[in-house]
Amino acid sequence: MLYKEYEPEILQKLQAIELKILADFANFCEEHEIDYFGCGGTMLGAVRHKGFIPWDDDIDIGMTREHYDKFLALADNAYDGRYRILNAEIDPKFSGMLSKWYRVGTLFRDKDSMVTGYKAGIAIDIFCFDNVADDDKALRRQAMSAWGFGKLFILRNISKPTVYVKGFRGKVTAGISMVVNGVLRLLHVSPSFLYRKADKAAQKYKDVETDRVAFLFDPTPYTSMLKRSDIYPTQFLAFENIKLRFTNKPEAYLEGRYGKDYMTPPAEDNRHNHPPMELDFGGEE
């Protein structure tokens, strides 16, 4: 089924299925002693709305590297094969520096998925927060290397990625994206090469004890950076009808990502989600 925007009942049904997936995820992590924290719109929704942001259509979960690697090692085929992992290492057509944990038998394909050809079901998104340098100059070198190669990886596969800027700036961004895509293809640069370079930069301090961790592949590289002491110990907060783990200082993350007025919802024309090109609930109710 093709969607340009959600009908209210479709979005509500999608959120309900995602909440079931999230409950299974949370139970799995507790069973296997895997720590995690809601991030992005999921953290903002928990703090501001006690659940989903009303127009949001995805779940965002963060993990530090040690827990992320453990989850990936254990969670594929979890619940007797009802769930699978998807990331760029599993399917080179997947264009993102994250992993998805999706419900087998469902289908959720956005524009990027249609362009590159990968398929995934209704999922939660899992972001790895890697150790980053405590020295600011070293951090900038690490961040710009990871972020730059990460963006080139996406642009190698997608000439017109989804961007959330409008007007002249949006047109310029689209034009640059198409040029970069063309150059990378002309030079026969492989997506896997760019992915490995980005991942290597992100994990540069994997074996070093650092005070800070970050997911370095946001639209800007520093919006998802936290002190470990702001994350641990994680705490439980209400998210709809379940209890979910979040950082122990949510305001540190939310202010850095959304600004100090994060409790004020944006104007309607600044709200966005990710309506799929294809959506199949797979008999889920």
Side-chain angles (χ1 to χ4, degrees):
M1 189 175 295
L2 174 64
Y3 295 94
K4 291 186 177 179
E5 59 183 35
Y6 289 107
E7 298 173 0
E9 62 272 18
I10 295 297
L11 179 56
Q12 291 172 7
K13 185 173 182 180
L14 177 62
Q15 290 176 340
I17 293 172
E18 289 175 340
L19 192 63
K20 291 180 180 179
I21 296 172
L22 185 60
D24 283 347
F25 166 84
N27 289 336
F28 181 87
C29 288
E30 295 302 321
E31 178 182 351
H32 294 280
E33 298 183 340
I34 298 170
D35 213 344
Y36 67 89
F37 50 94
C39 61
T42 299
M43 184 187 290
L44 181 59
V47 172
R48 195 168 71 194
H49 304 277
K50 307 302 181 186
F52 282 102
I53 296 172
W55 57 90
D56 202 5
D57 62 350
D58 63 2
I59 297 288
D60 301 317
I61 296 294
M63 293 180 180
T64 50
R65 173 61 63 176
E66 61 272 27
H67 295 286
Y68 182 81
D69 285 348
K70 183 177 180 180
F71 179 81
L72 295 186
L74 296 176
D76 205 30
N77 269 320
Y79 290 95
D80 297 321
R82 293 204 302 270
Y83 292 100
R84 297 300 304 271
I85 294 287
L86 175 66
N87 55 38
E89 294 187 5
I90 292 172
D91 187 345
K93 296 187 295 293
F94 180 75
S95 296
M97 299 299 299
L98 69 152
S99 292
K100 289 180 176 286
W101 195 61
Y102 68 90
R103 184 72 163 91
V104 173
T106 66
L107 183 66
F108 187 106
R109 300 191 72 191
D110 59 13
K111 182 183 73 173
D112 293 347
S113 169
M114 300 294 286
V115 169
T116 61
Y118 74 85
K119 292 185 179 181
I122 298 171
I124 60 176
D125 294 339
I126 305 174
F127 301 88
C128 183
F129 283 64
D130 278 297
N131 293 353
V132 295
D134 291 321
D135 175 76
D136 286 342
K137 288 184 179 180
L139 168 65
R140 285 193 292 271
R141 290 193 295 269
Q142 179 191 11
M144 293 314 299
S145 179
W147 184 85
F149 281 114
K151 290 295 175 282
L152 290 175
F153 165 63
I154 293 171
L155 291 176
R156 171 58 179 80
N157 283 333
I158 304 170
S159 62
K160 297 180 181 179
T162 301
V163 295
Y164 299 105
V165 291
K166 302 176 182 179
F168 177 74
R169 184 182 173 192
K171 293 179 180 178
V172 170
T173 301
I176 293 173
S177 298
M178 293 181 67
V179 170
V180 173
N181 173 267
V183 170
L184 292 172
R185 288 179 177 275
L186 182 66
L187 296 176
H188 302 289
V189 179
S190 73
S192 60
F193 168 78
L194 296 169
Y195 172 81
R196 289 194 302 271
K197 294 289 285 186
D199 188 56
K200 182 178 180 180
Q203 295 196 55
K204 182 175 182 179
Y205 295 95
K206 180 179 180 180
D207 297 322
V208 178
E209 289 189 14
T210 63
D211 291 334
R212 301 185 290 193
V213 297
F215 175 74
L216 294 171
F217 305 103
D218 281 335
T220 56
Y222 306 111
T223 52
S224 290
M225 185 168 63
L226 284 167
K227 295 179 180 179
R228 281 184 178 271
S229 59
D230 289 339
I231 299 174
Y232 298 117
T234 53
Q235 63 170 324
F236 285 102
L237 297 176
F239 189 89
E240 300 295 339
N241 61 351
I242 66 174
K243 293 289 187 180
L244 194 66
R245 288 187 180 272
F246 291 91
T247 63
N248 69 60
K249 294 180 181 177
E251 66 282 358
Y253 175 85
L254 293 173
E255 287 186 9
R257 187 175 179 88
Y258 299 106
K260 292 186 177 181
D261 61 345
Y262 61 83
M263 291 299 290
T264 302
E268 287 192 20
D269 60 352
N270 284 329
R271 301 173 184 179
H272 66 263
N273 48 32
H274 320 82
M277 302 295 287
E278 291 183 358
L279 178 62
D280 187 343
F281 294 114
E284 295 288 330
E285 297 294 341

